[in-house]
Amino acid sequence: MSSSALPSASAATAGRSRPRRRGLPFSPWHLLLAPVAVLFAIPFVQMFLAALTPAEDLNRIPTPFIPTRLTLDGFGQLFGTSPVLLWLGNTVLVSVTAIVSHLVLCSLAGYGFARLRFRGRTLGFFGIVATIMIPIQVLMIPTYVLFSQIGLIDSLGAAIVPWLASAFGIFLMRQFFLSLPPELEEAGLIDGATRRQVFFRIVLPLAKPALTTLAIFTLLGSWNDLVWPLIAINDDQAFTLQLGITSFQGTRRTQWALLMAANVVATLPLILFFLGAQKQFVQTMTFSGLKG
Amino acid sequence: MSAAHLSPASGVGVDRQRSRRRRSLRLTLEGWAFVGPATVLVLGLSIFPAIWSFFLSLQRWDGFSEPQNIGVGNYAYALKDADLAAAVTHTVLYTALFVPASILLGLLLAVALNRRIRFIGLYRTAIFVPFVASAAATGILTTYLFSPQFGLLNNILRRIGLPQQGWLEDPRQAMVVIAIMSLWGSAAFTTVIFLAALQDIPGELVEAARIDGATARQAFWHVTVPQLAPVAVFATIWQVIQALQLFDLVYTTTRGGPLNATQTVVYYLWNAAFRQTEFGYGSAVAWTLFLVTMLITVGVVLYSRRARIEAF
């Protein structure tokens, strides 16, 4: 488990070493937090447990709380009878492309808008900010029509193109670059470096925290996206993982072990990333309310 | 400045001006080399379709045959559409369930997690991890946990001798179940932003209140809570926008059922646009939703300004 995500309690609200009242041998906050933590853990615990439970247990009423034995049958059926590995590959491809493209394009644009003076800068940036408000519902119909006209529908490209860059990413990087002191870059320019050299050699290495936030934002968004792939991709060879496991709800409705195994495949990578980089994920959450 | 203002003799001035113009061109090209690719992509995939979508909303079009211009016909139809009205009701119900709960839960958990006690890292992890669960995974988990026959919840009710519930199959309960699972996945967000705000409050403020004789509880309600108000306004707007756009979790649990009880505005829109291929009508509903969302946002911002909460 990674270390706690945020700096520990601030003086503002943490009860300092006040004498404990009512004779509890521990902080009363445990009485709230322990049950809540258990409740929050239940869905994932059930997911892992059900994925390892034999079908005869899962289809018995009442279902036993503890499986009679553990089995990998669910995973066996999943990998044996569905193209889930292909879907996993598709999703990895979409996410990796999205992340690389986001990091490159949004940091370049964010730097340009933060530091360079050029014609059209204000108008361009105003346009970017204005688009942050536009919801996907307004965009999905014309984008679908556009993508069908250029033949992107039903291909993985349809899932990738909307994730190549984002207004949020440009905005995030611009704000970060504005927060850097310009003296370093000016020194570089005076020493005869070009803007490009300054950007790649001086600025970008300082931008690691912002780039990490942007990478996590893009990973979560592109990995978990459902509504757009649902609209744009009907060919199960081009399904993303999310689309694939959703399609099981129609065809494998009562194969709980298989469904939960599929859920594990779709979720475990992100859970592991989260546990490995909790601090950075929390940072990303603070910047973006990615999910409702 | 134009060349006419310079005397013909001043060749040096013309040179300098030409070099300045060349420099400005070079800077413009350099600037667009940096911002161009991302800007073109983002604007091309948002401003351009948004405008197109508005024109689509004035047409009747199924994507194949010749589009017919019908003016505001789609908007007029939307106002009379009983199914859309029902979808609006369901969406408002969900928003009323989800938004206050997510704000209060976030505030409570932030205050609780802002302590230096044992297992705090474990508690934080347990509450934050569900944030990475996708709508698809959450939907499948929901149908499992709340399955009337095989689900954990009815299983527990059965063991302790309470009546079984229909959950997602009961029109009165389905939306509540969806709201609960939305909270599971998104409590992390409100908690984290309240936690960050709590840690930004200067310790001296609370200390000063305590020195002046306030109890810990008074200091919390009269010093800490007012400091959190801007974040609460921001979080409320954000969660309302999310709630009004609910689609994913409905699609992955009930598909709008039972008896259309969970059909939300965006689910209805998606169905109209991509199942019935009513691109014009779908666009009109989308634009209406967008405008209503903007109005609500502006309303909340103005209200909070008047209440002297500086959220923006």
Side-chain angles (χ1 to χ4, degrees):
Chain A
M1 196 111 335
S2 80
S3 60
S4 70
L6 290 147
S8 43
S10 71
T13 48
R16 262 150 296 139
S17 53
R18 216 186 305 145
R20 275 166 191 155
R21 286 165 300 172
R22 295 183 214 105
L24 273 181
F26 50 83
S27 159
W29 290 98
H30 286 291
L31 297 176
L32 171 73
L33 284 171
V36 169
V38 169
L39 278 177
F40 271 79
I42 282 176
F44 277 153
V45 171
Q46 281 279 304
M47 173 178 86
F48 287 109
L49 208 56
L52 300 171
T53 303
E56 69 265 17
D57 283 359
L58 288 168
N59 292 325
R60 194 190 316 155
I61 300 175
T63 316
F65 287 117
I66 308 290
T68 47
R69 64 190 169 90
L70 292 181
T71 166
L72 288 173
D73 288 355
F75 288 94
Q77 286 168 19
L78 176 69
F79 292 119
T81 64
S82 80
V84 70
L85 284 175
L86 175 68
W87 300 338
L88 177 63
N90 286 345
T91 288
V92 169
L93 185 64
V94 170
S95 285
V96 168
T97 315
I99 291 170
V100 171
S101 170
H102 249 83
L103 291 182
V104 173
L105 297 183
C106 294
S107 60
L108 278 170
Y111 184 76
F113 284 125
R115 283 285 196 267
L116 305 180
R117 298 279 171 276
F118 57 93
R119 211 169 285 196
R121 182 181 79 118
T122 312
L123 186 68
F125 187 66
F126 180 78
I128 299 284
V129 172
T131 67
I132 290 184
M133 282 298 288
I134 303 176
I136 166 102
Q137 293 85 28
V138 168
L139 307 177
M140 60 194 191
I141 297 169
T143 309
Y144 175 81
V145 175
L146 174 72
F147 280 22
S148 1
Q149 282 168 359
I150 57 178
L152 267 180
I153 291 299
D154 278 350
S155 77
L156 215 47
I160 292 175
V161 170
W163 278 103
L164 290 178
S166 68
F168 169 79
I170 298 172
F171 188 73
L172 175 83
M173 293 312 294
R174 173 184 177 267
Q175 296 307 98
F176 177 80
F177 291 130
L178 282 177
S179 75
L180 291 179
E183 286 80 18
L184 267 177
E185 297 157 53
E186 279 156 18
L189 289 172
I190 289 167
D191 289 348
T194 66
R195 265 294 169 189
R196 209 175 36 176
Q197 288 166 332
V198 166
F199 175 73
F200 283 107
R201 304 230 179 107
I202 301 176
V203 178
L204 219 45
L206 295 173
K208 236 176 238 162
L211 292 173
T212 310
T213 297
L214 186 58
I216 292 174
F217 165 83
T218 315
L219 172 68
L220 281 173
S222 60
W223 187 281
N224 285 342
D225 194 12
L226 179 67
V227 62
W228 177 245
L230 182 68
I231 289 167
I233 298 172
N234 283 305
D235 173 4
D236 74 355
Q237 296 297 298
F239 270 10
T240 60
L241 204 43
Q242 305 299 329
L243 208 46
I245 65 173
T246 308
S247 76
F248 285 156
Q249 288 189 303
T251 52
R252 318 278 184 119
R253 201 173 317 165
T254 51
Q255 289 175 268
W256 290 115
L258 176 142
L259 276 171
M260 290 302 145
N263 242 357
V264 169
V265 172
T267 316
L268 189 59
L270 293 188
I271 294 180
L272 293 178
F273 272 121
F274 181 90
L275 295 180
Q278 186 167 337
K279 200 171 155 223
Q280 287 77 8
F281 270 76
V282 168
Q283 182 76 5
T284 306
M285 270 190 252
T286 323
F287 280 118
S288 69
L290 206 59
K291 169 164 136 177
Chain B
M1 202 198 304
S2 79
H5 293 282
L6 295 161
S7 74
S10 65
V12 184
V14 172
D15 264 9
R16 192 181 299 151
Q17 198 195 16
R18 192 175 296 152
S19 87
R20 192 188 299 158
R21 199 178 289 156
R22 204 177 300 139
R23 196 175 120 76
S24 149
L25 179 68
R26 198 178 57 77
L27 282 180
T28 300
L29 285 178
E30 184 186 65
W32 281 100
F34 272 88
V35 306
T39 306
V40 167
L41 268 169
V42 168
L43 295 187
L45 289 172
S46 55
I47 298 269
F48 162 66
I51 295 168
W52 186 359
S53 164
F54 179 71
F55 285 106
L56 279 178
S57 79
L58 304 175
Q59 297 179 336
R60 176 175 296 148
W61 189 39
D62 61 7
F64 297 100
S65 39
E66 198 62 24
Q68 286 171 272
N69 285 312
I70 54 168
V72 295
N74 286 321
Y75 292 94
Y77 182 76
L79 288 178
K80 295 180 304 188
D81 184 346
D83 290 338
L84 179 59
V88 169
T89 313
H90 305 146
T91 308
V92 170
L93 169 68
Y94 170 79
T95 308
L97 287 170
F98 172 73
V99 176
S102 84
I103 301 294
L104 291 176
L105 185 65
L107 183 58
L108 179 69
L109 291 179
V111 171
L113 289 175
N114 192 25
R115 310 261 140 190
R116 221 172 298 173
I117 55 177
R118 284 186 76 184
F119 307 127
I120 198 75
L122 203 60
Y123 293 147
R124 281 182 182 161
T125 303
I127 291 165
F128 293 166
V129 172
F131 189 76
V132 304
S134 68
T138 308
I140 294 173
L141 276 174
T142 309
T143 51
Y144 178 61
L145 292 170
F146 289 90
S147 155
Q149 296 84 36
F150 308 106
L152 178 73
L153 272 109
N154 270 359
N155 209 352
I156 293 174
L157 291 180
R158 199 178 286 130
R159 304 276 167 122
I160 58 179
L162 288 175
Q164 310 284 293
Q165 303 296 320
W167 303 121
L168 290 171
E169 292 170 17
D170 182 334
R172 282 164 307 162
Q173 295 174 353
M175 202 52 116
V176 180
V177 172
I178 292 178
I180 289 172
M181 290 306 281
S182 300
L183 277 178
W184 174 72
S186 70
F189 169 63
T190 41
T191 304
V192 159
I193 61 174
F194 276 124
L195 201 44
L198 277 176
Q199 295 176 347
D200 277 347
I201 298 176
E204 303 88 63
L205 271 183
V206 176
E207 262 163 53
R210 295 301 302 276
I211 290 168
D212 289 346
T215 65
R217 188 170 301 171
Q218 285 170 330
F220 177 75
W221 286 109
H222 296 287
V223 179
T224 307
V225 168
Q227 295 278 321
L228 295 177
V231 175
V233 171
F234 166 77
T236 305
I237 292 176
W238 189 263
Q239 298 294 76
V240 166
I241 293 175
Q242 300 295 313
L244 294 179
Q245 298 180 357
L246 176 69
F247 169 81
D248 290 17
L249 206 50
V250 170
Y251 182 81
T252 56
T253 52
T254 58
R255 307 253 160 129
L259 300 174
N260 284 345
T262 56
Q263 177 141 290
T264 58
V265 172
V266 176
Y267 193 88
Y268 181 77
L269 186 173
W270 169 81
N271 197 50
F274 295 103
R275 287 288 176 270
Q276 329 280 345
T277 57
E278 300 267 9
F279 285 162
Y281 188 52
S283 300
V285 175
W287 263 93
T288 309
L289 176 67
F290 179 29
L291 293 179
V292 169
T293 313
M294 292 285 276
L295 280 178
I296 293 174
T297 308
V298 171
V300 175
V301 171
L302 289 181
Y303 176 80
S304 66
R305 285 259 165 85
R306 237 180 43 192
R308 297 182 186 287
I309 301 166
E310 278 168 27
F312 294 92

